[in-house]
Amino acid sequence: MSNTPTTPLLSLRNITKQYPTVIANDQINLDVMPSSIHAILGENGAGKSTLMKLAYGLIEADAGEIYWQGNSVSIRNTAAARKLGIGMVFQHFSLFETLSVVENISLTMPGSREQLSKQIIELGDHYQLNVNPAASVHSLSVGERQRVEIIRCLMQDLKLLILDEPTSVLPPQHILSLFDALRKLRDNGVAILYISHKLEEIRELCDTATVLRAGKVTGSVNPNEKTAKELATLMIGHDVPSVTGRDQQRTSEKPLLKLSSVSVEAQDPFGTSLSDINLDVHGGEIVGIAGVSGNGQQELSKVISGELLSKLLAPNAINMINQPAAHLGAADRRRLGFSFVPEERLGRGAVPPMPLSKNALLTAFEKGMLKKGFLKKKAIASYTQKCINDFDVRCGGPDSTASSLSGGNLQKYIVGRELMLTPKLLFVAQPTWGVDIGAATAIRQRLLDLREAGVAVLIISEELEELFEITDRMYVINGGALSPSLTTSALTPNDIGEYMIGNQQELRETGGNHAV
Amino acid sequence: MQFKLDRRVHYSKAMLIATPIMAVGLSMLVCTLLLLVLNKPVLLTFHSFFIAPFENFYSITEIFLKFGPLLLIAQALAVGFRAKVWNIGAEGQMIIGAIAASSVPVYFVDSTSAWLLPAMIVLGALGGMAWAAIAAFLKTQFNANEILVTLMLSSIALQILYYLLLGPWKDPMGFNFPQTVMFQDEALFPYLFDGARINTSIAIPIIFTIGIWLFMEKHFGGFRLIVGGLAPSAATYAGFSSKKAVWSSLLLAGFAAGIAGMSEIAGPIGQLQRSVTSGYGYSAIIVAYLGALNPIGIIFAAFFLAVLQIGGDVALVSADLPISAVHVFQGLLLIFYLATYTFVNYRLRVVRPITQATPKLTS
């Protein structure tokens, strides 16, 4: 058995995985060397997650071979993967909220709580991944939870750590400290597979990058030697489109959306209560709400859309297009000229098993689609067809079911459906979540065009780059409270980060290790 | 060898049609086994169930007599089920409808007014709706589970019926039987044919079916209910009220069940008595599912179950089966239907174990 440093730790050979409608991985070859940080770069839907799940034993490949330190292996389940020394941290963490950190870890690790706690503290000190073993998970920030997940992987004999989009949940300051920890892990002999679509991060952190596009490897490069633009071209297959059109700003005199001291109690025990939210959006501007997920975005979006009505709010606590609206339901607010694109497309923005035409009815039913309550088939079909044409929705036609569309195309359809309502006030939550670069650019361009047309646009996004690219003003949401209004052009990502974590929390989390 | 269920990308239309047929086939298979164990004649039993009901005109009219209430109630229940409002208390709503309608001939024993029957229809509908409204109120106000509430309300309705029949409404000339007076002809639906019990009330379920089909397939109201059932968050997002969906689903079922109950006492029974529902309220649940909650499918399912009930009656005599045999068969149908329905959304895959890869050396 050869085990020289030149033998890859993990080798994938001709790995193929097919799903009913798509080949997620097509003849993939990949070599991960020991003590390296290896990026898997690709757009959403390129097959990154499928590949990692194969390596972690969550799914089995249809064809191909996996070699571990030169030996052919079959990784049939996650227990087998862990036995080999593979650990994985998912985008959505798998921790029990009601248990403490050490209790969570003792579920998968042998040993007494005292021993484990000691280990947690030692590992935390060594890698600067400090976390209090006795703390309840639900009281931890997202960054701290991520540390728990990483430490849990470290407690076994870890040789390969797989991280799925680890920075998507972190404020900028914490990203740096995560990178420090990852470099230290690498220097201690751990290989890291780093899944991301964020080019700058990969250039900064990774030693090698394997680029995936539509299930195939399109290149294996040293990311430090490539520009972000070159990487993006490898990733999407053509030049990166860009948005245009930031003319002189002309905003309406009166705000088209105004929230005055809105406080709403959380509905579920792990939800976030909104406290004293003040926010206004004028016509002709794009206002963004930044923040780490789980800080009240869900609740705020439901309060603005009318999906969540609080009886405790006075009607004019929410003023929409110069009308008191806090007492109005979602359909009534739409009648005022308000449109909303929710972050969940399937099941909220669209009914998955229904055709696109029926999905048009969901919000556009007052656009001449009904006659005495009966459906006007032709009017529905032509609205749907127009939306498909105008917004370049790739699908089999108005009869395709919503669930058959890719994430990006469905988002284009929903955005199109809402824009065809010609709103005066548009609210989009996570406009380009899981959307490929081409579609994302198209959507951002639409939003900018709307701004030029004098529409008031509010977006909630976790992608800071996106917010910096298109917004005029920003608010930051943290723990259900909103920062003061901030002018985008006068901001840096670090400023936003400050508001994202709040200074007190920043001190608690880093324990003074990390200066901002 | 292992079996795995893979979720289909699109639900299978072919399976949607095949599932009721598979359910019937599997139920017949299990019934055959049961009959063999019980040492009953298999062929004679199936002949009694499926052939005998069509052998003479009278029993064909009897099929349609049962078909009517099953169709009426199942159509309304299916609307609710598609909106995910689980009303399983049509039985109770039917009883209260029958009681409310009976109040007219009970208190106006001597009336020969032409308004008797229309008044009974209205009261029957209102009675059923009132009973369903209790569940709707508790659901929308306190989020009380409608499955439990409607089921328990059925027991209460039955006790009310017993109380009336043993007490205030008992026929004074009825030899102490728990039943009301026989109703006058003006309180009964006219017969369609001489010598058969089938009457003009059969028009109600047929008109109702057309209305439900239009509502569910062509009307925005039906669309709203379907969205609420398929994707509750999408309904909230669109601004469709979930409370409205609960109210309309339950009131519609109460309306249909109430009229079905009324049609029984103003039809084949001709008085209010303990067995007023014949179990239609529960059988209609099976009908609704066997018909894939589709207005057209329910027509076939209601007819099939009506045949089964008449056939069961025949089999009691000819094959000496116990009365519970029909219930067992109905229960099997529902279980097999629900089990086979899985294949509408999933496909079965046989996984052969791959031989464990043996470690081998590589360069």
Side-chain angles (χ1 to χ4, degrees):
Chain A
M1 194 185 289
S2 56
N3 208 349
T4 57
T6 49
T7 310
L9 182 67
L10 175 76
S11 292
L12 305 180
R13 287 286 168 271
N14 300 315
I15 290 286
T16 299
K17 176 73 189 178
Q18 181 150 19
Y19 285 116
T21 51
V22 67
I23 301 184
N25 287 159
D26 189 1
Q27 304 269 332
I28 301 262
N29 289 309
L30 177 73
D31 286 314
V32 183
M33 304 307 286
S35 294
S36 73
I37 302 182
H38 191 124
I40 303 291
L41 176 62
E43 289 198 82
N44 288 293
K48 297 172 302 206
S49 293
T50 303
L51 193 61
M52 293 308 105
K53 283 181 189 162
L54 284 165
Y56 192 54
L58 277 171
I59 47 180
E60 278 188 87
D62 297 331
E65 283 152 87
I66 301 178
Y67 297 91
W68 181 255
Q69 294 175 330
N71 298 321
S72 172
V73 290
S74 80
I75 304 174
R76 299 173 58 86
N77 50 46
T78 54
R82 281 196 294 270
K83 217 169 163 187
L84 291 173
I86 303 176
M88 182 159 179
V89 176
F90 294 91
Q91 246 174 312
H92 302 283
F93 303 142
S94 41
L95 297 170
F96 291 96
E97 304 229 343
T98 47
L99 299 184
S100 74
V101 171
V102 65
E103 283 167 339
N104 262 289
I105 285 179
S106 70
L107 289 174
T108 50
M109 293 298 298
S112 70
R113 298 254 166 92
E114 291 73 34
Q115 275 178 318
L116 291 173
S117 299
K118 216 176 127 212
Q119 259 181 297
I120 292 169
I121 292 169
E122 279 171 11
L123 283 168
D125 284 344
H126 188 248
Y127 292 106
Q128 286 166 25
L129 291 167
N130 305 75
V131 61
N132 176 4
S136 292
V137 167
H138 70 82
S139 71
L140 301 183
S141 72
V142 185
E144 287 172 310
R145 290 178 202 204
Q146 190 176 52
R147 290 180 204 168
V148 177
E149 290 264 0
I150 295 176
I151 287 175
R152 179 159 69 179
C153 294
L154 288 174
M155 296 188 79
Q156 65 196 39
D157 180 23
L158 185 71
K159 296 195 180 75
L160 175 67
L161 176 64
I162 305 173
L163 297 167
D164 191 0
E165 304 267 1
T167 58
S168 64
V169 294
L170 295 181
Q173 285 85 343
H174 291 178
I175 291 175
L176 294 177
S177 57
L178 172 70
F179 284 4
D180 288 340
L182 294 182
R183 289 195 188 97
K184 206 155 189 182
L185 274 173
R186 173 191 62 191
D187 299 339
N188 278 287
V190 176
I192 293 168
L193 258 173
Y194 188 92
I195 309 174
S196 182
H197 66 277
K198 294 184 178 167
L199 306 167
E200 288 302 339
E201 268 176 38
I202 284 172
R203 291 191 60 233
E204 188 186 334
L205 179 71
C206 301
D207 309 311
T208 324
T210 298
V211 188
L212 292 186
R213 182 166 77 234
K216 291 187 174 157
V217 174
T218 54
S220 207
V221 297
N222 181 344
N224 303 316
E225 293 166 1
K226 299 274 178 189
T227 64
K229 198 159 185 262
E230 284 170 315
L231 287 177
T233 309
L234 271 177
M235 192 162 94
I236 64 171
H238 51 79
D239 279 345
V240 190
S242 58
V243 293
T244 54
R246 280 188 87 106
D247 283 357
Q248 192 64 43
Q249 198 176 319
R250 300 174 299 270
T251 55
S252 69
E253 214 173 286
K254 277 190 175 174
L256 295 182
L257 174 67
K258 188 167 174 59
L259 271 64
S260 316
S261 305
V262 170
S263 298
V264 178
E265 203 55 32
Q267 304 248 303
D268 93 80
F270 295 116
T272 310
S273 299
L274 300 176
S275 58
D276 197 28
I277 301 268
N278 287 291
L279 172 147
D280 57 68
V281 187
H282 294 254
E285 68 172 349
I286 300 180
V287 173
I289 296 174
V292 176
S293 72
N295 269 294
Q297 287 96 329
Q298 289 265 356
E299 290 79 2
L300 181 59
S301 73
K302 285 186 176 170
V303 164
I304 295 177
S305 71
E307 286 160 285
L308 178 63
L309 292 180
S310 170
K311 286 179 183 146
L312 300 175
L313 292 178
N316 60 2
I318 300 173
N319 202 295
M320 220 170 239
I321 308 156
N322 307 319
Q323 304 265 4
H327 58 298
L328 297 179
D332 289 331
R333 292 186 195 192
R334 203 172 289 117
R335 257 169 229 130
L336 294 177
F338 167 73
S339 269
F340 172 49
V341 179
E343 68 262 40
E344 299 147 272
R345 281 143 221 166
L346 284 174
R348 186 156 160 218
V351 184
M354 279 191 173
L356 293 181
S357 53
K358 285 273 172 76
N359 271 300
L361 261 180
L362 212 53
T363 58
F365 57 88
E366 281 177 342
K367 292 275 164 186
M369 292 186 183
L370 302 178
K371 190 176 177 186
K372 289 185 177 160
F374 282 93
L375 312 183
K376 286 166 74 181
K377 255 192 157 171
K378 273 188 186 159
I380 297 169
S382 72
Y383 187 98
T384 311
Q385 191 61 53
K386 188 172 187 316
C387 183
I388 291 171
N389 295 344
D390 291 1
F391 291 84
D392 187 29
V393 180
R394 316 267 164 83
C395 65
D399 292 331
S400 320
T401 58
S403 56
S404 71
L405 269 65
S406 72
N409 276 309
L410 186 59
Q411 180 73 340
K412 282 197 279 187
Y413 179 74
I414 295 173
V415 169
R417 179 187 71 195
E418 297 308 310
L419 292 193
M420 281 170 68
L421 297 174
T422 58
K424 299 187 186 85
L425 169 64
L426 177 69
F427 176 26
V428 189
Q430 312 294 355
T432 59
W433 223 355
V435 171
D436 59 79
I437 289 189
T441 313
I443 289 168
R444 286 174 198 160
Q445 185 63 54
R446 290 276 180 181
L447 297 179
L448 287 169
D449 294 347
L450 282 176
R451 186 187 73 150
E452 297 310 307
V455 175
V457 182
L458 176 65
I459 62 178
I460 287 186
S461 178
E462 280 160 33
E463 303 255 358
L464 270 188
E465 298 100 70
E466 174 169 83
L467 290 171
F468 274 100
E469 187 179 353
I470 62 172
T471 64
D472 302 300
R473 285 192 296 125
M474 268 193 246
Y475 295 89
V476 184
I477 191 165
N478 176 28
L482 219 53
S483 75
S485 164
L486 309 162
T487 305
T488 305
S489 54
L491 281 175
T492 66
N494 255 25
D495 299 333
I496 298 288
E498 291 267 352
Y499 284 108
M500 274 183 183
I501 45 191
N503 288 329
Q504 284 181 346
Q505 198 188 359
E506 168 69 9
L507 287 172
R508 178 164 65 87
E509 279 197 13
T510 59
N513 282 332
H514 182 72
V516 181
Chain B
M1 204 159 63
Q2 257 186 315
F3 295 100
K4 268 192 173 173
L5 285 173
D6 285 351
R7 193 164 179 92
R8 293 178 197 266
V9 181
H10 296 295
Y11 74 91
S12 159
K13 276 207 172 123
M15 283 307 296
L16 201 60
I17 294 166
T19 39
I21 299 167
M22 279 160 59
V24 171
L26 287 167
S27 306
M28 285 176 73
L29 191 72
V30 173
C31 263
T32 306
L33 293 175
L34 278 175
L35 289 168
L36 289 173
V37 170
L38 290 170
N39 207 12
K40 301 281 180 193
V42 176
L43 284 178
L44 180 63
T45 304
F46 282 125
H47 179 272
S48 312
F49 263 108
F50 298 113
I51 311 285
F54 298 99
E55 279 181 335
N56 63 64
F57 180 72
Y58 177 74
S59 65
I60 292 176
T61 63
E62 285 290 296
I63 292 174
F64 280 98
L65 192 71
K66 301 222 172 253
F67 170 71
L70 283 175
L71 180 65
L72 183 60
I73 302 174
Q75 291 289 14
L77 288 183
V79 171
F81 293 161
R82 286 182 82 174
K84 299 234 156 68
V85 178
W86 308 114
N87 171 15
I88 57 166
E91 187 82 359
Q93 292 143 26
M94 195 178 169
I95 291 172
I96 298 296
I99 291 174
S102 296
S103 66
V104 182
V106 164
Y107 288 113
F108 300 92
V109 183
D110 300 321
S111 169
T112 53
S113 164
W115 291 101
L116 269 181
L117 200 58
M120 288 167 72
I121 296 177
V122 171
L123 277 176
L126 288 177
M129 287 162 85
W131 208 241
I134 299 173
F137 174 78
L138 293 174
K139 170 80 178 180
T140 52
Q141 213 60 34
F142 306 110
N143 201 23
N145 186 310
E146 75 276 20
I147 300 177
L148 293 174
V149 173
T150 52
L151 186 66
M152 293 191 294
L153 278 172
S154 292
S155 298
I156 297 172
L158 199 62
Q159 296 309 318
I160 294 175
L161 177 69
Y162 290 173
Y163 163 74
L164 288 172
L165 292 178
L166 293 167
W169 286 12
K170 188 164 66 179
D171 179 4
M173 320 286 279
F175 305 103
N176 232 7
F177 277 107
Q179 56 197 29
T180 63
V181 291
M182 290 300 292
F183 299 157
Q184 59 272 50
D185 284 351
E186 288 76 11
L188 302 179
F189 285 107
Y191 290 119
L192 279 179
F193 309 103
D194 280 342
R197 298 197 296 166
I198 182 118
N199 58 54
T200 49
S201 71
I202 187 76
I204 299 173
I206 292 170
I207 295 167
F208 189 73
T209 297
I210 297 169
I212 290 287
W213 181 80
L214 282 172
F215 181 71
M216 293 307 275
E217 304 286 327
K218 306 282 175 195
H219 196 273
F220 193 54
F223 172 79
R224 279 195 299 232
L225 289 178
I226 295 170
V227 170
L230 286 175
S233 303
T236 316
Y237 161 69
F240 306 157
S241 156
S242 61
K243 288 187 177 179
K244 238 180 178 170
V246 171
W247 274 103
S248 51
S249 300
L250 277 161
L251 288 181
L252 187 73
F255 171 85
I259 289 184
M262 178 270 166
S263 310
E264 288 299 294
I265 56 111
I269 304 179
Q271 64 183 164
L272 189 65
Q273 47 160 263
R274 292 167 71 146
S275 58
V276 61
T277 66
S278 315
Y280 289 134
Y282 295 123
S283 302
I285 300 172
I286 303 175
V287 172
Y289 272 101
L290 217 51
L293 305 183
N294 174 297
I296 311 289
I298 287 170
I299 299 175
F300 291 101
F303 186 77
F304 178 74
L305 239 75
V307 171
L308 206 65
Q309 295 209 337
I310 300 296
D313 289 347
V314 178
L316 289 183
V317 182
S318 63
D320 190 26
L321 283 183
I323 187 134
S324 48
V326 184
H327 299 150
V328 168
F329 196 78
Q330 281 190 4
L332 285 171
L333 267 178
L334 186 64
I335 288 173
F336 281 120
Y337 178 76
L338 294 175
T340 49
Y341 192 83
T342 309
F343 298 109
V344 173
N345 287 316
Y346 292 86
R347 80 174 83 236
L348 189 69
R349 190 161 57 95
V350 183
V351 188
R352 289 194 180 75
I354 313 155
T355 46
Q356 185 80 36
T358 46
K360 61 188 174 198
L361 287 175
T362 49
S363 57

